[in-house]
Amino acid sequence: MSTPVGIDELLERVREGYARIEPQAAYEASLEGALLVDIRYQALRERDGLIPGAVVVERNELEWRLDPRGSHRLPQATGHDLRVVVICNEGYASTLAAASLHTLGLHGATDLTGGFQAWKAAGLPVVSS
């Protein structure tokens, strides 16, 4: 039986497994073809806006929509080499989501450090929902 860990320790362990991405680098990656995936819930998207070009996938559907072998995948989920940047509100839930995508073999998945709020604070494009 494994020893329980707290969420802070879990996040630290998961983040050791891949390189997270800062807002400006995520923006540049999107221009080079990376798929930005917004997992924020609807109320936050309505309140704060959307990142142009980002695909909205509610967190509870993420694995089904991005699994390249899945029957419910998005058209953009073309292969396991897909570069994916998962975006939540502040960069916590996206860490666990990216780790889950790694388990599915999407080793190019990462998450946005600071989430949507960091993107917005960096002055990157945002549109009203």
Side-chain angles (χ1 to χ4, degrees), residues 6 9 13-14 23 25 30 33 37 42 45 54 57 59 81 90 100 110-111 114 124 126:
E9 184 178 345
R13 286 183 187 180
V14 167
S30 72
V37 180
Q42 184 175 352
R45 295 191 312 267
V57 178
R59 173 62 189 99
D81 59 344
E90 295 181 342
S100 182
T110 188
D111 74 308
L124 294 168
V126 174

Side-chain angles (χ1 to χ4, degrees), residues 11-32:
L11 286 172
E12 187 177 311
R13 286 183 187 180
V14 167
R15 288 173 177 166
E16 290 173 357
Y18 65 93
R20 301 178 80 208
I21 193 167
E22 296 292 328
Q24 185 63 42
Y27 175 72
E28 291 167 9
S30 72
L31 296 176
E32 296 169 359

